[in-house]
Amino acid sequence: MANDDVNFSTRKGEIHAICGENGAGKSTLMKQLYGVEQPNEGRIIIKGQEVKLTSPQVAIANGIGMVFQHFMLVPSLSVAENITLGIEPTTGLKFDTKKAAEITKSVSDKYGFDIDPAARIRDLTVGVKQKVEILKALVRGAEILILDEPTAVLTPQETSELFVQLRALREAGHTIIFISHKLGEVKSLCDRVTVIRRGHTVGTYNVKDVSESDISRLMVGVNVESKVPKGKANPGPAYLVAKDLELFDLNGKRVVNDISFTVRSGEIVGIAGVEGNGQEPLVNAITGFSGGGSGTLSMGGFDIRSMSIHELREKGLAYIPEDRMSTGASGTLSICENMIADKVDWKRYNKGLLLNQPVIKEDTDKWIKDYDVLCDGGNQKVGMLSGGNIQKVLVARELTGLAKLIVCDQPTRGIDVGATDSIRRRLVNMRDSGSAILLISADLGEILNLSDRLIVLFEGEIVAYFPDVSKVTEEELGYYMLGVKRMSAGQIEGAYSVQ
């Protein structure tokens, strides 16, 4: 049962955090408040009146808006067109562009959001897209605003700006429900926090009365360290080598511009950058999802530009993708089938013409326990799990193989503090066992904690390189990510280190 006798209430004019492990029931509760799902029992009361939220449209009519982690915007349309989508002003039978712009500017000015109504969504930064989503909800009369992991892809500067605007909304009388695994942000922004564990409400607390450690302990039932203990790396030779690499999108636009870097065995190299600055095409090139371009890309001394994904796997590639469902796991297959998808040709799992099912079950049961996957057993369909538990399944699959190079793209996004701690510790252990690890993450705390060396991408170029990550602050990193600061070519050339 996703929610079992959950009690939750929020006040007018407060920012209220919802915290809990993956699979704790947060998403189910929010879907019920936004009308996506209906409760089997219990009541939902707004302003003293019991309501039946049978759809998002009914929720919106009752003053509830929701901004999802993955934006629901049309890239080719303007800000004004997106904001008025579904409530379009018209002149006769035509869309009234001028009126849409006036509506957008009016609500933008009212809440202090400086956004150009005529700008195309595809040309906006992630932070501005976030604001457009919030304005969409406000235009529709949202008094209660549900934000699902709103800072997951923002720089520190963008996060600070968002918090200023959220506090202004609170002062204007709006209620904000803030779902986040970043407990520092909960402490900084929120008035109260409700903790949910295993489908039950643990309690509601004034944020000023609880520490981050208190919240994490309430979430998972044990103490969790905020930083993963990590000794000094002892790197070997370069295992992944990118030299003078240029990549192009389907329209022929250059998206990675003449970058050179290496990842050595026994080290973690982090890549920081606002999403959309070359990380995706770079990862796709390394993992065999796209080809083309120019320059050198090799793994273990082998040119990988023309290798198939199967050949890359045989050379020791493991890949934790950003999109856990599109490229990470198959929702229609069982946990067991997903766990061994990269191992089906292992001798351990083959018994003549058939797979050795008892051995596969034995290993899968062990991995489910080791990675704390909340499920009904190895035969359960992956699509029935929460997002965080799906992530645990694919991380378990990738880290239990024969990985020599691990490409981790947002490995802990949307994961609770307990699972995050476990995954980060395992990555450090893999590093210490000699694996080369490339870490791409929007979580700057994660990047700074785990990385031995760090590069920053902006508009497809390396704009900063830090050989000693211990001396870097999140604020400084943010300036390079936004393109405000840039290092010289001489400072950056250290990213290409073959020794």
Side-chain angles (χ1 to χ4, degrees), residues 83-382:
I83 284 178
T84 58
L85 198 61
I87 54 170
E88 298 91 343
T90 57
T91 300
L93 297 177
K94 293 183 178 180
F95 175 73
D96 193 335
T97 303
K98 182 179 178 181
K99 183 63 175 176
E102 289 174 354
I103 292 171
T104 301
K105 188 173 187 313
S106 175
V107 72
S108 179
D109 291 346
K110 178 179 178 180
Y111 294 106
F113 288 58
D114 184 19
I115 300 178
D116 178 6
R120 297 285 165 183
I121 295 296
R122 61 172 172 251
D123 299 325
L124 302 180
T125 65
V126 175
V128 177
K129 290 176 184 176
Q130 177 83 263
K131 295 177 186 177
V132 174
E133 284 282 23
I134 293 172
L135 287 179
K136 270 177 59 181
L138 294 174
V139 162
R140 287 158 177 77
E143 297 174 293
I144 301 170
L145 194 60
I146 303 170
L147 303 180
D148 185 10
E149 298 282 349
T151 65
V153 294
L154 304 185
T155 65
Q157 289 82 359
E158 290 171 323
T159 296
S160 296
E161 186 176 342
L162 174 65
F163 283 7
V164 168
Q165 288 158 337
L166 294 182
R167 291 185 182 106
L169 287 171
R170 175 181 60 188
E171 294 305 311
H174 290 273
T175 298
I176 297 166
I177 300 174
F178 185 83
I179 305 167
S180 179
H181 290 111
K182 297 181 180 181
L183 302 186
E185 294 180 355
V186 170
K187 285 288 293 178
S188 169
L189 177 68
C190 301
D191 302 298
R192 293 193 297 157
V193 55
T194 292
V195 179
I196 300 175
R197 186 168 74 218
R198 304 291 173 103
H200 297 273
T201 306
V202 176
T204 297
Y205 310 87
N206 292 320
V207 167
K208 62 182 177 60
D209 296 333
V210 289
S211 67
E212 290 182 42
S213 296
D214 292 333
I215 299 171
S216 65
R217 185 172 59 253
L218 290 164
M219 287 168 58
V220 301
V222 296
N223 289 317
V224 179
E225 294 184 37
S226 59
K227 283 192 173 184
V228 172
K230 178 170 70 78
K232 186 175 176 61
N234 184 27
Y239 195 77
L240 175 68
V241 178
K243 180 66 173 173
D244 303 325
L245 189 64
E246 290 191 337
L247 301 172
F248 300 85
D249 65 13
L250 295 176
N251 297 317
K253 178 184 176 182
R254 185 164 55 190
V255 288
V256 171
N257 185 15
D258 192 24
I259 69 172
S260 299
F261 70 94
T262 59
V263 184
R264 299 171 294 186
S265 299
E267 75 169 351
I268 300 175
V269 173
I271 294 183
V274 176
E275 288 194 6
N277 279 275
Q279 300 96 317
E280 183 178 355
L282 176 61
V283 168
N284 286 343
I286 295 170
T287 56
F289 281 84
S290 66
S294 62
T296 300
L297 192 57
S298 65
M299 189 172 78
F302 295 94
D303 181 1
I304 64 173
R305 297 304 297 276
S306 59
M307 284 188 184
S308 67
I309 292 175
H310 181 70
E311 289 171 326
L312 289 170
R313 287 282 188 178
E314 289 185 327
K315 295 296 182 186
L317 172 70
Y319 176 34
I320 302 172
E322 176 186 8
D323 191 327
R324 58 176 69 103
M325 288 310 298
S326 294
T327 50
S330 172
T332 59
L333 297 182
S334 69
I335 294 171
C336 187
E337 291 167 322
N338 274 278
M339 287 277 201
I340 68 156
D342 62 330
K343 307 176 181 71
V344 289
D345 56 352
W346 285 15
K347 289 184 179 179
R348 174 173 173 78
Y349 298 138
N350 284 276
K351 187 179 180 180
L353 297 175
L354 302 174
L355 291 174
N356 193 333
Q357 296 295 345
V359 174
I360 291 172
K361 182 181 185 304
E362 176 186 340
D363 286 355
T364 300
D365 288 345
K366 180 179 183 300
W367 295 331
I368 287 172
K369 181 179 179 181
D370 288 349
Y371 285 81
D372 193 28
V373 181
L374 300 181
C375 63
D376 295 330
N379 289 326
Q380 185 175 3
K381 295 283 191 292
V382 159

